[in-house]
Amino acid sequence: MVLETLTSLTQIFPIRKTILFVVSSLAIAITGCGQAVRETDSPQAETPATDLIVMTTILPITQFTNAVVGDRAEVIPLMPTNVDPHDFQASPADVRNLANSSVLVKNGLEMEFFLEDLIANAENGELVVIDSSQGIAVLENQEEEHHGHGHSHSHGHDHDEHGEHSEADHHHQHGQYNPHIWLDPKRAIQQVQNIRDGLIAVDPAGADIYTANAAKFIAELEALDGEITDKLAPFAGKTFVAFHDFAPYFAQSYALEAEFLVDVPADKPAPGDIKRVMDTVKASNLKTILTEPSAGEDSLGAIAKDMGIQVSIFNPIEVGGPEAVNPEYYLATMRSNVSNLASSFSASTNTSPQSWFLLGPLQPVAMAPQRLGVRF
């Protein structure tokens, strides 16, 4: 009788979506120790081809992993897209998710300094960790006393060479090597290849899918690299000064010079830092400040106004909105960054070697808390 009633109702009311929503809500509500907590704003996402659950760490790693995985598995970001990696604190739900995941994909190079304790708490002996930085040529972090002087040095990446730091140390600096490899599309290609190979090792049956998906995204990255090379070629040898130390790989890849003032943007600059910023702008006759699109200090925002210089943006892709997990977000953001950079170089009227200044975050970005499980 109930079945007949429901059958009749479906002819009158489009209730299928409502039923799916209720079922999805119940599934989340009864999630226990044997299931990952898969909160998502996309209840109509297609069911993965396997039960493989892949967790990712920082935003670029989620983008690259989504590009490779496609619909083969479920990808669950460890951290919300609107949380800066330097400020992330794991929750009990994160530990449960990791305990029930098959794979964890990380950037590496101690970007995720919090992972060791998190993995230990998850007690998942079957977890496979894919380090996307494996085999990539890396640059040493400059010592704090050398800020604004000298250059990073390149090394072949060997995990055994990493220096060890306490968690407290990481609130002020990264490890031995600069971790921002994703901002160089050439190195991003290598990260995608590492993710592809790691997933094939875990799920050989999906090798053809992972290979095809990776090849498609790598072709897009190669096209992006070619565009950036052409657009920045006229500015070879010019210098930009970064507030946050995210730029050395990008600079090296496109024949630019990068300097920086503050290692981690979460560290609020002291009055002496502000003075050093203003002295740098004056000494180099900088014409443009390129900010990061995340929360910052109003006092820094006043520098551009007080000194009569322009403001633009270079996004290091460390935070974003819910849509930022899409691989296309990486491509679009990098193109926007390069367009802003080229315009900034062109805006300078100096006849001497030009510089431009990448100041730390100025304008707060209001974003709602989120925790997404997204499949592409």
Side-chain angles (χ1 to χ4, degrees), residues 67-90:
V68 176
V69 166
D71 294 327
R72 178 67 182 177
E74 181 169 11
V75 176
I76 301 179
L78 174 62
M79 60 186 69
T81 60
N82 64 343
V83 173
D84 189 289
H86 307 98
D87 299 329
F88 173 71
Q89 293 183 344

Side-chain angles (χ1 to χ4, degrees), residues 277-300:
V277 166
M278 298 186 74
D279 289 345
T280 301
V281 172
K282 291 177 182 177
S284 301
N285 196 22
L286 303 177
K287 301 299 181 182
T288 303
I289 296 176
L290 286 94
T291 69
E292 298 176 33
S294 55
E297 298 295 322
D298 292 338
S299 59
L300 292 180

Side-chain angles (χ1 to χ4, degrees), residues 58-106:
I58 64 173
L59 184 54
I61 297 306
T62 301
Q63 295 164 346
F64 298 164
T65 302
N66 277 324
V68 176
V69 166
D71 294 327
R72 178 67 182 177
E74 181 169 11
V75 176
I76 301 179
L78 174 62
M79 60 186 69
T81 60
N82 64 343
V83 173
D84 189 289
H86 307 98
D87 299 329
F88 173 71
Q89 293 183 344
S91 69
D94 296 323
V95 176
R96 290 195 300 272
N97 279 341
L98 198 57
N100 295 286
S101 295
S102 308
V103 178
L104 173 66
V105 186
K106 67 177 184 178

Side-chain angles (χ1 to χ4, degrees), residues 171-184:
H171 289 300
H172 302 284
Q173 63 181 27
H174 293 297
Q176 181 179 353
Y177 302 112
N178 190 295
H180 300 86
I181 51 178
W182 66 87
L183 289 173
D184 171 17

